[in-house]
Amino acid sequence: MKEIIHIYHTNDLHSHFEHWSRIRDFLKKRKEWHVSEGEDVFLFDIGDHVDRWHPYTEATLGKGNVGLLNEAGYDAVTIGNNEGITLDYEDLNRLYQDAEFQVIVGNLFSREKKVPDWIKTHTIYETKSGLKVAVLGLTAYFFPFYRALGWNITSPLDELKKLVEQLKNEVDVLVLLSHLGLRDDELIAESFPEIDVILGAHTHHILHEGKEINGVMLGAAGKFGNFVGHMMIEVDAVKKNVLSKKAQLYAHDHLPKSEHEDGERQHWYREGESLLGTEVANLEESLPAEWFKKSPLPQLLSDALKEWCKADCSFLNAGLLMEGLNEGPVTKQDLHRILPHPINPCLIELSGAELKEIIKQTFNEEWPHLQLKGLGFRGKIMGEFVYTDIAFEEDKQRIYIEGEQVQPKKTYKLAIPDMFTFGHFFPDLQRLEKKYFMPEFLRDILAWKLGQ
């Protein structure tokens, strides 16, 4: 007897709720339909549903997202790096306390190196005909950030090897929820033919009809709710083996329109803004922010960054600030609006020779106009670099730190936004020892400075 297991999946919503109403309604109706037909159906999210750029997510610290997943009827999720490393330890511990679904992560452990009580390393579901379906989850190995927050994260592939070995003879179907990225998913497919399906995320890749590697079917649905994935696993219920796998995507603009979607979208935004109405400072004068010339607010943020990190000097890009601040009361919502990024302060110790080369790279004339995506950046454009206690002569050959010319062998402490440590702009910074200040974001540092 043949039967089909239906899996619907989303990933990397990043709190883009523009399409959420129709995604939710579509998933609820599909689930009801399959259940009425006597078919097995599951709803999974593969991480980064939470993103603190949105006021509703920021104000509820992600619990609003959990409520939306509950309402849609999800069966399980894994976490992405936005859930894992943009909340402090206790906020992540509390994030899923009202969840009506399983949270499956096989490579995240508590301070005590135990599986947290809100996590399962895997879950086994049983279909109506008695087939056992094991669902595993893995999240990206952002070791320095998890360590700074107090979590113990382990190698996803090491944990996967143990889990597959444990489960392969106990279950009939193996499904992996992978917030690791396409390259790792392809490697896993080559290395673990025991896995039937990998539902992917993290690199925002789109697999319209899936991708089969070594008999393993990969599925992925892009980002921001632009697609909903549907994986169909045909099984022989008597012999308990998989016969075929088929993947497809539904584009959001092909889904039926939800009756109240415009109103809901506005409500989530206004609700978040309202909850962020707490006043943090009162300005006697406006603090403008310009992207391509010197202005007060980017300079104040750079100064605050140096002071917070107890550094010798600091720099950042003016494009981090979406706009300036007006005279009068400043609320959490104001700071969230102008600094929506999940970017942390970072301190690096380096020699004068290394520091000089890093600073010289900031003179790149193409960078200020660069349209930047990723790396935690939620703005539009890089903007000019802003410096604190870094000076240089017109020819930019001589560089000074706190008024003294850089000494090549002297050790300096440089404070920067963490996005500059990921290798895209300053490859040399990847190999140097770094201290990430977490869970503070740049907007928290600015709130602290304004409060002074």
Side-chain angles (χ1 to χ4, degrees), residues 83-321:
E83 287 91 1
I85 62 174
T86 69
L87 297 167
D88 75 20
Y89 188 93
E90 291 306 327
D91 287 331
L92 179 55
N93 245 340
R94 291 189 291 261
L95 175 60
Y96 296 103
Q97 65 184 12
D98 297 322
E100 297 167 8
F101 48 81
Q102 298 285 351
V103 182
I104 305 174
V105 193
N107 63 318
L108 184 66
F109 302 91
S110 69
R111 285 192 180 111
E112 297 76 28
K113 298 185 178 180
K114 296 179 179 179
V115 178
D117 57 12
W118 52 273
I119 280 179
K120 289 186 177 294
T121 59
H122 64 281
T123 295
I124 298 176
Y125 299 95
E126 192 165 315
T127 68
K128 292 179 178 63
S129 64
L131 271 85
K132 290 182 178 179
V133 180
V135 178
L136 292 65
L138 296 169
T139 198
Y141 186 62
F142 280 58
F143 177 77
F145 295 93
Y146 280 105
R147 178 180 59 183
L149 288 165
W151 294 103
N152 284 285
I153 191 165
T154 54
S155 161
L157 295 185
D158 288 349
E159 299 299 339
L160 181 62
K161 185 175 181 180
K162 288 186 276 188
L163 285 165
V164 169
E165 198 62 35
Q166 173 189 337
L167 293 167
K168 65 181 182 181
N169 296 321
E170 293 182 18
V171 300
D172 307 301
V173 181
L174 270 173
V175 176
L176 172 63
L177 313 183
S178 166
H179 198 91
L180 303 178
L182 180 58
R183 186 178 297 178
D184 278 7
D185 291 351
E186 291 173 338
L187 173 64
I188 289 168
E190 290 285 1
S191 306
F192 296 91
E194 302 94 336
I195 296 173
D196 296 289
V197 165
I198 300 173
L199 302 177
H202 188 48
T203 45
H204 301 174
H205 49 290
I206 299 169
L207 300 176
H208 285 282
E209 295 180 346
K211 182 176 184 179
E212 189 164 357
I213 298 175
N214 197 27
V216 181
M217 180 62 83
L218 279 59
K223 64 178 180 178
F224 299 171
N226 290 329
F227 297 95
V228 173
H230 183 192
M231 185 72 67
M232 290 150 281
I233 308 172
E234 185 183 33
V235 294
D236 185 320
V238 177
K239 295 181 180 179
K240 295 191 174 183
N241 62 332
V242 175
L243 301 173
S244 67
K245 289 159 279 193
K246 182 181 177 184
Q248 67 181 108
L249 296 180
Y250 303 97
H252 76 87
D253 51 0
H254 293 164
L255 302 181
K257 185 169 180 174
S258 181
E259 184 180 358
H260 303 294
E261 61 183 44
D262 293 335
E264 285 188 310
R265 183 172 63 248
Q266 292 167 17
H267 166 73
W268 292 320
Y269 209 91
R270 287 196 302 265
E271 177 75 6
E273 288 184 319
S274 174
L275 292 169
L276 292 171
T278 307
E279 185 176 315
V280 296
N282 200 305
L283 300 183
E284 295 180 359
E285 58 184 9
S286 297
L287 293 173
E290 300 285 348
W291 292 345
F292 301 115
K293 64 180 182 182
K294 191 174 177 65
S295 60
L297 194 55
Q299 188 62 60
L300 184 70
L301 181 58
S302 181
D303 295 348
L305 182 63
K306 181 206 165 191
E307 192 177 346
W308 183 268
C309 296
K310 296 180 172 58
D312 300 310
C313 56
S314 61
F315 67 74
L316 51 78
N317 56 305
L320 282 166
L321 286 146

Side-chain angles (χ1 to χ4, degrees), residues 50-66:
V50 166
D51 192 317
R52 290 178 62 179
W53 78 269
H54 195 287
Y56 187 56
T57 301
E58 172 73 358
T60 64
L61 293 174
K63 288 190 174 184
N65 296 66
V66 172

